[in-house]
Amino acid sequence: MTQITITALGQRGEGIAEIAGQRLYVPFTLPGEKVEIAMEGERGTLLSVLAPSPDRIEPVCGYFGVCGGCSLQHLAPAPYAAFKRGLVVTALSHAGIDVPVGQLVEARGIGRRRATLHTRAAGAGYMRPRSHDLLDIEACPILVPALQQSAPGIARALHAAVGDSDIGFTATATGLDVSVRNERKLKPQKLVPLAQNLKLARLSLNGELVLQSQPPSVRMGKALVELPSGSFLQTTEAAEAALAGLVLAGLKGARSVADLFCGVGPFALRIAESARVLAADSDRPAIAALQHAVKHTQGLKPITTLSRDLFRDPLAPAELAPFDAVVFDPPRAGAEAQARELVRSKVKTIVGVSCEPRTFARDAAILLAGGYRLESVTPLDQFAYSIHVELVGVFKR
């Protein structure tokens, strides 16, 4: 056992101390705290807090510290917001971009509507910190009410039928969408009575439909979108609405917009209330879901869809010519190839949405070098108590 004083908070949410000129990383600690730890190489395990920081608060969950799902429940709201905003500021600074970053927008809403739980003989829950050992939980307070207690119970029931699994949950307007993945060869039909018993909207096993009592659906603007199994969805409903609001504000006045990496259309469907839209993504089921939603929604301007791998085959300047604005919301890898084509185009406005500040900063540097200016950057918090942050940047020629 060793007593140390934490001097900083690292980008992974861990307290940092120095011993004999070497950095030591200690999860669940805060700057200024005197703590007792067990050392293992460059990492420390917190044993007790001898002198707490004034920024330390009581965690909202009794599993905090032994569960690997959250890392920042002990940090008070103001320094927590500063930490998340700082992730964006630091990423932009490292890319040589000096631009004002807005205050963090709180977008957690009533909780996460998506989660993945693991099931093992030990129960159902999340993995312990830096471990593959499962922590059995009864409830998770950062999820939406429909999942907080029901998800662990459903996971246990499924484990009894299918064994060790990773189980994805999505809470939708029409019920729970549950997707089971494991390595066993099982006949999906055997799970039909269980899915009925659990009153699930849909159950899938290793990508194969077991039962769909009704299509899992979410509202996006005027549209009701039927979600494909395993499709991407913003983690919280509040974040989707906040992101869409920032996107629409950035696009103000645009009459024709290309929505790239559009998914099932959370932006495209809202943009189409006032502008023509091209919506492109490589996810064919997502594009099909968007097409279906467009067909059954009144009051939208035309939405043209395009199934295309924008990493390998980005829209070229000639294809971008009809649009006075572009939105891109890529996965964590970013939109580097598309950014390089955008600087060769005459598109006046670009709105970038990202869940990874470092790749956003890389792509932003490409756009800035190509003649755009970055007018605003707004960070959003939908990943409660984690080290992840969402952001929206608005670029103008």
Side-chain angles (χ1 to χ4, degrees):
M1 293 187 294
T2 305
Q3 292 185 10
I4 60 170
T5 298
I6 304 299
T7 58
L9 189 63
Q11 289 208 315
R12 301 193 63 80
E14 301 168 325
I16 300 174
E18 281 201 13
I19 296 182
Q22 288 193 325
R23 280 193 164 191
L24 184 70
Y25 299 90
V26 187
F28 314 122
T29 61
L30 298 174
E33 292 187 328
K34 186 177 181 181
V35 297
E36 190 170 58
I37 64 165
M39 288 179 57
E40 186 179 340
E42 64 173 12
R43 305 195 67 84
T45 299
L46 178 65
L47 301 177
S48 63
V49 179
L50 304 175
S53 163
D55 291 336
R56 179 174 285 275
I57 60 172
E58 191 67 25
V60 300
C61 178
Y63 298 113
F64 181 70
V66 293
C67 175
C70 290
S71 54
L72 293 169
Q73 286 190 16
H74 59 313
L75 184 57
Y80 172 91
F83 170 81
K84 289 250 175 161
R85 178 178 176 274
L87 295 174
V88 177
V89 172
T90 300
L92 292 171
S93 176
H94 286 171
I97 299 171
D98 181 15
V99 63
V101 175
Q103 294 303 306
L104 184 75
V105 175
E106 195 282 302
R108 297 181 234 161
I110 61 170
R112 297 178 65 124
R113 58 184 174 180
R114 298 171 57 229
T116 298
L117 269 63
H118 312 286
T119 67
R120 305 290 186 268
Y126 305 114
M127 297 304 178
R128 294 176 182 272
R130 306 196 315 274
S131 167
H132 293 293
D133 296 333
L134 185 109
L135 174 70
D136 185 39
I137 66 171
E138 292 299 322
C140 176
I142 69 168
L143 304 183
V144 293
L147 290 176
Q148 284 182 8
Q149 291 183 312
S150 67
I154 292 170
R156 289 188 190 90
L158 287 166
H159 181 267
V162 302
D164 294 358
S165 305
D166 299 323
I167 304 178
F169 293 85
T170 302
T172 78
T174 51
L176 299 186
D177 183 15
V178 179
S179 176
V180 179
R181 292 204 170 272
N182 64 21
E183 295 181 355
R184 295 177 62 186
K185 292 184 178 179
L186 299 163
K187 292 183 178 179
Q189 302 92 313
K190 291 186 176 181
L191 295 179
V192 169
L194 180 57
Q196 292 172 327
N197 228 22
L198 294 170
K199 295 182 171 57
L200 304 178
R202 179 169 61 200
L203 177 64
S204 303
L205 174 65
N206 294 325
E208 192 172 342
L209 181 66
V210 173
L211 178 74
Q212 179 170 286
S213 60
Q214 52 188 330
S217 303
V218 295
R219 187 156 292 283
M220 295 179 174
K222 294 180 177 180
L224 190 65
V225 180
E226 297 180 4
L227 297 177
S229 182
S231 65
F232 174 78
L233 186 67
Q234 293 293 349
T235 301
T236 73
E237 186 178 357
E240 182 185 292
L243 289 167
L246 288 166
V247 167
L248 291 171
L251 295 174
K252 188 175 181 180
R255 294 187 173 186
S256 57
V257 179
D259 181 8
L260 309 182
F261 307 95
C262 67
V264 295
F267 302 143
L269 289 163
R270 291 173 168 95
I271 295 166
E273 293 182 24
S274 60
R276 299 187 307 276
V277 180
L278 168 69
D281 201 294
S282 62
D283 186 341
R284 291 180 183 275
I287 290 291
L290 173 56
Q291 291 170 331
H292 183 269
V294 169
K295 191 180 296 185
H296 292 84
T297 306
Q298 294 183 341
L300 299 180
K301 292 187 180 296
I303 297 180
T304 304
T305 57
L306 175 64
S307 179
R308 183 151 158 182
D309 184 343
L310 297 168
F311 291 110
R312 297 184 179 184
D313 188 17
L315 264 63
E319 296 171 293
L320 292 166
F323 306 105
D324 45 33
V326 165
V327 179
F328 63 81
D329 182 14
R332 292 190 182 280
E336 182 176 7
Q338 188 61 71
R340 295 193 183 283
E341 294 302 313
L342 280 164
V343 299
R344 298 172 55 228
S345 78
K346 295 181 179 179
V347 173
K348 295 177 182 178
T349 301
I350 300 171
V351 181
V353 182
S354 176
C355 59
E356 175 46 76
R358 288 172 294 187
T359 55
F360 172 84
R362 177 202 65 205
D363 299 343
I366 293 170
L367 295 174
L368 268 60
Y372 287 91
R373 67 181 184 275
L374 183 51
E375 291 202 332
S376 66
V377 177
T378 306
L380 294 93
D381 183 31
Q382 66 168 320
F383 306 106
Y385 309 118
S386 76
I387 58 169
H388 302 295
V389 63
E390 197 93 16
L391 67 92
V392 177
V394 179
F395 301 84
K396 296 283 186 180
R397 269 281 181 207

